[in-house]
Amino acid sequence: MLNNKFEQFMLDIFVLANQYGSISNPDPNPVAQDEHFSTCFEDMVAIPENINQVFSFRKLWAFTGPGFLMSIAYLDPGNIESDLQCGAIAGFKLIWVLLLATIIGLLMQRLAARLGVVTGMHLAEVCNRQYSRVPRVMLWFMVEVAIIGSDMQEVIGSAIALNLLSVGRIPLWAGVLITIVDTFTFLFFDKFGLRKLEALFGFLITVMALSFGFEYVLVKPDQGELLKGMFLPYCAGCGRAQLEQAVGIIGAVIMPHNIYLHWSRLESREIDRNKREEVKEANKYFFIESAIALFISFIINVFVVAVFAQAFYNKTNMEVNALCNATGSPHTNLFPLNNDTLEVDIYKGGVVLECFFGPAALYIWAIGILAAGQSSTMTGTYSGQFVMEGFWNLQCSRFKRILLTRSLAIVPTLFVSSKDVQHLTWMNNILNVLQSVQLPFALIPILTFTSLTSIMNEFANGLVCKIFGVIVTLAVCAINIYFFVVYIMSLNSVVVYVFAGLGSLAYLCFVLYLVWHSLIALGVSCLDRVTSRPTVLIEEQSEHDS
């Protein structure tokens, strides 16, 4: 009887939810439904024609650019901090988790790219057309929270890098303010054309590769242990700390707003969506380019993990304090005189590199972090612009967009940075948790829409892809929920428990709502009986110009 009541309760929830939003075309406004505007640059990249080869480097070069812009999110300061903590806490043992997370990220980016190539719209625009107002507003809010959280991490990383490069002459709060100006400066590059902007991102990725690659060569990690940790999915002797770190890697690598960003940049390529072969070809080359870009980002992440795994795994605070004191470092107070295992972050990472390998290691490390922060800041700005335009059909200049996100990101960051670097690390940990719990709001919609033949036609997900997508989505969501619960429990506060419990209830209800409709889209039609009208019979998408 209790089960029957619970089932009826859940059915009532979804009936009520369906009154306010479903996967359909609920908005009668013809402008919102049929009129498409470009959220990209006006200049388009032409694709070479009359090339009958199975594979063409000329065509690959024409499609090259968006994948590298997307890959920058895999190299932001939050990821770098996760990498160095992974190496210091677990050695080489969790590199396979990093590899797995990167592969999962690639497959999710592939779905985002396919959705865009086939429909000519990015995920936010599809959500705007297929969800009603309430779920659309909630999705938009969650993605904006993720973008602002990511922006705060990038501000923190850039401020720490400037502090290290200036040997403390630029305080953290000043570094936070400087990031406002430099972001506007970098965004002026888009005035010179799309390809030049893509070249700038390529340059910043190269700076990161050279900086962290230098540290890798300097430290000389054990190659055998590195390969073992990369391809042997096992963690001998690992405990709770290593498990939490593994969860943290997945949460740091797979970024929700990045899935919304990807097609926004792909839109700049000239593709005739009425021609099946061109759509098929675009899907192929975008996937190859994304795979290359994420492979490079994976190698850079491995550089960081390997450096800290080789040099600082199982080191104690006492050992590091003694060595820093011997080299005359002014930062010995960062490492208390105890035998606890060394805990590192982006700031401490630079300091211990200086103590062990000299000042050059510190400065080159800081240059790499600065490049990561600046490039990620620009991608965050673009993500925010496309999400706002896609969900609300609003044209918003990048200048206004930067002012909005930067104001929301800088105020709390500036407050914390006025204290010390430990508080910035504390904030960064909170932001990692925040990012992780936003993932369902990107993964579930992208899996839903790419599985619908009414949207994707013959390019809809097949059975194997659907099963794999469901498994990956459930696994990632479960892992990140675990990460959230562990973090909340570590705070030891009854007040936090109460608010977290209430928030979690609302959060789970919305996730279940998205899952419900996703399952219907995946073919579980019996779930559709609770609604008063079909929820997944999406009308054929109206034609529009890109």
Side-chain angles (χ1 to χ4, degrees):
M1 183 176 180
L2 184 60
N3 290 336
N4 292 335
K5 289 184 177 180
F6 177 76
E7 182 180 356
Q8 184 60 45
F9 171 72
M10 292 301 297
L11 293 181
D12 290 343
I13 288 178
F14 286 109
V15 169
L16 180 62
N18 197 66
Q19 294 174 0
Y20 291 95
S22 61
I23 305 179
S24 61
N25 281 322
D27 193 344
N29 184 358
V31 175
Q33 295 302 317
D34 297 323
E35 188 175 302
H36 177 70
F37 58 85
S38 174
T39 57
C40 204
F41 294 96
E42 294 181 0
D43 53 324
M44 303 290 288
V45 178
I47 308 301
E49 297 180 357
N50 301 322
I51 298 178
N52 297 322
Q53 301 168 338
V54 176
F55 177 80
S56 168
F57 282 102
R58 285 182 60 201
K59 285 193 174 183
L60 179 61
W61 177 249
F63 284 105
T64 296
F68 284 89
L69 174 62
M70 169 271 298
S71 71
I72 284 174
Y74 292 72
L75 296 168
D76 70 358
N79 273 292
I80 301 301
E81 180 158 294
S82 175
D83 293 337
L84 64 89
Q85 289 175 345
C86 173
I89 293 173
F92 298 98
K93 300 174 184 178
L94 294 178
I95 298 181
W96 66 271
V97 178
L98 176 62
L99 175 61
L100 179 62
T102 304
I103 293 173
I104 292 173
L106 172 62
L107 296 177
M108 290 298 155
Q109 297 296 160
R110 175 177 177 267
L111 293 182
R114 287 181 64 189
L115 178 67
V117 170
V118 173
T119 66
M121 298 183 291
H122 55 76
L123 182 56
E125 291 176 291
V126 178
C127 288
N128 175 45
R129 293 177 179 229
Q130 304 301 340
Y131 285 117
S132 292
R133 184 173 300 275
V134 170
R136 186 169 66 217
V137 170
M138 293 176 70
L139 277 174
W140 167 78
F141 177 77
M142 292 299 183
V143 177
E144 287 288 355
V145 168
I147 292 171
I148 293 170
S150 177
D151 204 42
M152 290 175 68
Q153 287 184 307
E154 289 142 16
V155 169
I156 291 171
S158 296
I160 288 175
L162 291 170
N163 182 267
L164 291 173
L165 286 170
S166 66
V167 197
R169 292 186 179 88
I170 299 178
L172 293 173
W173 62 266
V176 170
L177 293 176
I178 289 173
T179 59
I180 304 176
V181 179
D182 60 19
T183 301
F184 283 111
T185 303
F186 276 109
L187 285 173
F188 278 122
F189 271 82
D190 67 18
K191 302 298 182 183
F192 298 101
L194 174 62
R195 295 300 263 178
K196 291 183 176 62
L197 181 66
E198 291 174 347
L200 172 63
F201 284 114
F203 169 75
L204 292 172
I205 292 174
T206 303
V207 170
M208 285 184 269
L210 293 175
S211 299
F212 301 134
F214 171 84
E215 308 286 358
Y216 182 87
V217 172
L218 184 67
V219 174
K220 299 181 177 66
D222 187 321
Q223 301 303 304
E225 288 297 315
L226 189 151
L227 292 174
K228 181 180 175 182
M230 187 180 298
F231 297 110
L232 184 62
Y234 181 67
C235 189
C238 291
R240 179 173 177 175
Q242 288 76 20
L243 176 61
E244 291 178 8
Q245 190 58 46
V247 172
I249 291 172
I250 296 175
V253 169
I254 305 174
M255 306 288 283
H257 66 278
N258 206 34
I259 296 174
Y260 284 87
L261 169 69
H262 197 178
W263 167 249
S264 305
R265 308 267 37 96
L266 304 181
E267 193 178 6
S268 59
R269 270 56 183 178
E270 291 182 352
I271 304 168
D272 187 348
R273 293 176 188 85
N274 295 318
K275 296 181 180 179
R276 176 183 178 277
E277 291 303 318
E278 286 197 23
V279 172
K280 187 176 180 180
E281 181 182 70
N283 282 328
K284 178 180 74 174
Y285 282 106
F286 278 138
F287 178 70
I288 294 172
E289 188 245 357
S290 297
I292 294 171
L294 288 188
F295 174 75
I296 293 173
S297 72
F298 171 70
I299 295 299
I300 295 173
N301 281 313
V302 168
F303 284 162
V304 178
V305 175
V307 165
F308 284 83
Q310 182 69 34
F312 309 116
Y313 177 52
N314 277 339
K315 288 288 191 300
T316 65
N317 287 321
M318 186 80 74
E319 292 175 286
V320 177
N321 184 290
L323 188 58
C324 288
N325 191 48
T327 57
S329 171
H331 303 291
T332 54
N333 61 310
L334 292 175
F335 312 102
L337 294 172
N338 57 45
N339 286 317
D340 293 344
T341 303
L342 174 68
E343 294 182 1
V344 289
D345 49 43
I346 291 177
Y347 186 84
K348 286 184 181 179
V351 171
V352 295
L353 284 171
E354 180 186 31
C355 294
F356 278 71
F357 302 106
L362 167 65
Y363 293 127
I364 293 174
W365 168 260
I367 290 171
I369 296 298
L370 185 60
Q374 293 305 304
S375 57
S376 300
T377 293
M378 288 185 282
T379 59
T381 300
Y382 286 123
S383 296
Q385 180 188 6
F386 300 137
V387 164
M388 180 175 288
E389 291 176 354
F391 274 106
W392 296 105
N393 278 345
L394 295 176
Q395 293 279 12
C396 178
S397 70
R398 293 187 183 91
F399 180 85
K400 293 178 181 178
R401 177 67 210 180
I402 296 171
L403 284 180
L404 176 61
T405 56
R406 271 300 150 96
S407 298
L408 294 174
I410 280 178
V411 171
T413 308
L414 192 62
F415 173 75
V416 176
S417 65
S418 64
K419 298 181 180 181
D420 54 43
V421 71
Q422 280 78 16
H423 284 82
L424 283 180
T425 301
W426 167 78
M427 175 179 279
N428 202 49
N429 292 333
I430 292 178
L431 293 174
N432 278 335
V433 175
L434 180 67
Q435 293 284 343
S436 67
V437 298
Q438 304 300 325
L439 271 173
F441 307 115
L443 298 184
I444 297 175
I446 194 65
L447 180 61
T448 300
F449 298 135
T450 54
S451 298
L452 285 165
T453 54
S454 54
I455 290 179
M456 300 294 290
N457 300 317
E458 63 183 287
F459 296 98
N461 295 332
L463 179 60
V464 174
C465 187
K466 288 178 181 179
I467 294 173
F468 181 80
V470 169
I471 293 173
V472 167
T473 301
L474 290 177
V476 170
C477 293
I479 286 171
N480 285 287
I481 289 172
Y482 168 81
F483 188 38
F484 173 77
V485 171
V486 167
Y487 182 80
I488 293 298
M489 295 299 292
S490 68
L491 298 178
N492 295 321
S493 170
V494 175
V495 176
V496 172
Y497 293 163
V498 172
F499 281 101
L502 294 174
S504 297
L505 181 61
Y507 173 88
L508 288 175
C509 285
F510 187 45
V511 170
L512 286 173
Y513 169 78
L514 295 177
V515 169
W516 184 278
H517 289 293
S518 182
L519 289 173
I520 297 173
L522 290 168
V524 188
S525 57
C526 61
L527 297 178
D528 204 22
R529 72 181 189 276
V530 302
T531 61
S532 58
R533 57 187 173 84
T535 60
V536 295
L537 297 178
I538 304 180
E539 298 176 9
E540 287 295 324
Q541 185 179 321
S542 58
E543 294 183 1
H544 57 271
D545 296 328
S546 62

